[in-house]
Coordinates of all heavy atoms in Angstrom, one line a residue:
K1 N -0.8 -7.1 0.7 CA -2.0 -7.8 0.2 C -3.2 -7.5 0.9 O -4.3 -7.3 0.3 CB -1.7 -9.3 0.3 CG -0.7 -9.8 -0.8 CD -0.3 -11.3 -0.6 CE -1.5 -12.2 -0.8 NZ -1.0 -13.6 -0.7
Q2 N -3.2 -7.4 2.2 CA -4.3 -7.0 3.1 C -4.9 -5.6 2.7 O -6.0 -5.4 2.5 CB -4.0 -7.1 4.5 CG -5.1 -6.8 5.5 CD -6.2 -7.9 5.5 OE1 -5.8 -9.1 5.3 NE2 -7.4 -7.5 5.7
R3 N -3.9 -4.7 2.6 CA -4.3 -3.3 2.3 C -4.9 -3.2 0.8 O -5.9 -2.6 0.6 CB -3.1 -2.4 2.3 CG -2.5 -2.2 3.7 CD -3.4 -1.4 4.6 NE -3.7 -0.1 4.0 CZ -4.5 0.8 4.6 NH1 -5.0 0.5 5.8 NH2 -4.8 1.9 4.0
M4 N -4.3 -3.9 -0.1 CA -4.8 -3.8 -1.5 C -6.1 -4.5 -1.7 O -7.0 -4.1 -2.5 CB -3.7 -4.3 -2.5 CG -2.4 -3.4 -2.5 SD -1.2 -4.0 -3.6 CE -2.0 -3.7 -5.2
Q5 N -6.3 -5.6 -0.9 CA -7.6 -6.3 -1.0 C -8.7 -5.4 -0.5 O -9.9 -5.5 -1.0 CB -7.6 -7.6 -0.2 CG -6.8 -8.7 -0.9 CD -6.5 -9.9 0.0 OE1 -6.9 -9.9 1.2 NE2 -5.8 -10.9 -0.5
K6 N -8.4 -4.5 0.4 CA -9.4 -3.6 0.9 C -9.9 -2.7 -0.2 O -11.0 -2.2 -0.2 CB -8.7 -2.7 2.0 CG -9.6 -1.7 2.7 CD -8.8 -0.9 3.7 CE -9.7 0.2 4.3 NZ -9.0 1.0 5.4
H7 N -9.0 -2.4 -1.2 CA -9.4 -1.5 -2.3 C -9.7 -2.3 -3.6 O -9.6 -1.8 -4.7 CB -8.3 -0.5 -2.6 CG -8.0 0.3 -1.4 ND1 -8.8 1.3 -1.0 CD2 -6.9 0.4 -0.6 CE1 -8.3 2.0 0.0 NE2 -7.1 1.4 0.3
G8 N -10.0 -3.6 -3.4 CA -10.3 -4.4 -4.6 C -9.2 -4.6 -5.5 O -9.3 -4.8 -6.7
L9 N -7.9 -4.7 -4.9 CA -6.7 -4.9 -5.7 C -6.4 -3.8 -6.6 O -5.6 -3.9 -7.5 CB -6.7 -6.3 -6.4 CG -6.9 -7.5 -5.5 CD1 -6.8 -8.7 -6.4 CD2 -5.9 -7.6 -4.4
K10 N -7.1 -2.6 -6.5 CA -6.8 -1.5 -7.4 C -5.6 -0.7 -6.8 O -5.5 -0.5 -5.6 CB -8.0 -0.6 -7.5 CG -9.1 -1.3 -8.2 CD -10.4 -0.3 -8.3 CE -11.5 -1.0 -9.0 NZ -12.7 -0.1 -9.1
E11 N -4.7 -0.2 -7.7 CA -3.6 0.7 -7.2 C -4.2 1.9 -6.5 O -5.3 2.4 -6.9 CB -2.7 1.1 -8.4 CG -1.9 0.0 -9.0 CD -2.7 -0.9 -9.9 OE1 -3.8 -0.6 -10.2 OE2 -2.1 -2.0 -10.2
N12 N -3.4 2.4 -5.5 CA -3.9 3.5 -4.7 C -2.7 4.3 -4.2 O -1.7 3.7 -3.8 CB -4.7 2.9 -3.5 CG -5.2 3.9 -2.5 OD1 -4.4 4.4 -1.8 ND2 -6.5 4.1 -2.5
A13 N -2.8 5.6 -4.3 CA -1.6 6.4 -4.0 C -1.2 6.2 -2.5 O 0.0 6.2 -2.2 CB -2.0 7.9 -4.2
Y14 N -2.1 6.1 -1.6 CA -1.8 5.9 -0.2 C -1.1 4.6 0.0 O -0.1 4.5 0.8 CB -3.0 6.0 0.7 CG -2.7 5.8 2.2 CD1 -2.3 6.9 2.9 CD2 -2.8 4.6 2.8 CE1 -2.0 6.8 4.3 CE2 -2.5 4.5 4.2 CZ -2.1 5.6 4.9 OH -1.8 5.5 6.2
E15 N -1.5 3.6 -0.6 CA -0.9 2.2 -0.5 C 0.5 2.2 -1.0 O 1.5 1.6 -0.4 CB -1.7 1.2 -1.1 CG -3.2 1.1 -0.8 CD -3.4 1.1 0.8 OE1 -2.5 0.8 1.5 OE2 -4.5 1.5 1.1
Y16 N 0.8 2.9 -2.1 CA 2.1 3.0 -2.7 C 3.0 3.8 -1.7 O 4.1 3.4 -1.4 CB 2.1 3.7 -4.0 CG 3.5 3.8 -4.6 CD1 4.2 2.8 -5.2 CD2 4.2 5.1 -4.4 CE1 5.5 2.9 -5.6 CE2 5.6 5.2 -4.9 CZ 6.2 4.1 -5.5 OH 7.4 4.2 -6.0
G17 N 2.5 4.9 -1.1 CA 3.2 5.7 -0.1 C 3.5 4.9 1.1 O 4.6 5.0 1.7
L18 N 2.5 4.0 1.5 CA 2.8 3.2 2.7 C 3.9 2.2 2.4 O 4.8 2.0 3.3 CB 1.4 2.5 3.1 CG 1.4 1.7 4.4 CD1 0.0 1.6 4.9 CD2 1.9 0.3 4.2
A19 N 3.8 1.5 1.3 CA 4.8 0.5 1.0 C 6.2 1.2 0.9 O 7.2 0.7 1.3 CB 4.5 -0.1 -0.4
K20 N 6.3 2.3 0.3 CA 7.5 3.1 0.1 C 8.0 3.5 1.5 O 9.3 3.4 1.8 CB 7.3 4.3 -0.7 CG 8.6 5.0 -1.2 CD 8.3 6.1 -2.2 CE 9.6 6.8 -2.7 NZ 9.3 7.8 -3.6
A21 N 7.2 3.9 2.4 CA 7.6 4.2 3.8 C 8.2 3.0 4.5 O 9.2 3.1 5.2 CB 6.4 4.8 4.6
L22 N 7.5 1.9 4.3 CA 8.0 0.6 5.0 C 9.4 0.3 4.5 O 10.3 -0.1 5.2 CB 7.1 -0.5 4.7 CG 5.7 -0.4 5.5 CD1 4.9 -1.6 5.1 CD2 5.9 -0.4 7.0
V23 N 9.7 0.5 3.2 CA 11.0 0.2 2.6 C 12.0 1.2 3.2 O 13.1 0.8 3.5 CB 11.0 0.3 1.0 CG1 12.4 0.2 0.5 CG2 10.1 -0.9 0.5
F24 N 11.6 2.5 3.3 CA 12.5 3.5 3.9 C 12.8 3.1 5.4 O 13.9 3.2 5.8 CB 11.9 4.8 3.9 CG 12.0 5.5 2.6 CD1 11.0 6.4 2.1 CD2 13.1 5.3 1.7 CE1 11.1 7.0 0.9 CE2 13.2 6.0 0.5 CZ 12.2 6.8 0.1
I25 N 11.8 2.7 6.1 CA 12.0 2.3 7.5 C 13.0 1.1 7.6 O 13.9 1.0 8.4 CB 10.6 1.9 8.2 CG1 9.8 3.2 8.4 CG2 10.8 1.2 9.5 CD1 8.4 2.9 8.8
A26 N 12.8 0.1 6.7 CA 13.7 -1.0 6.7 C 15.1 -0.5 6.4 O 16.1 -0.9 7.1 CB 13.2 -2.0 5.6

């Protein structure tokens, strides 16, 4: 939520990659 608010709640390739990386880490 913090990261997406930074981009005005718009989808962003980096944010998706970050979220996916966190899921992989988990």
Side-chain angles (χ1 to χ4, degrees):
K1 284 173 66 175
Q2 181 70 32
R3 293 289 307 177
M4 294 179 71
Q5 285 171 0
K6 179 180 178 181
H7 301 289
L9 301 183
K10 294 179 180 178
E11 288 80 10
N12 177 287
Y14 181 82
E15 306 311 338
Y16 178 81
L18 188 153
K20 193 173 180 180
L22 290 178
V23 172
F24 280 146
I25 289 170

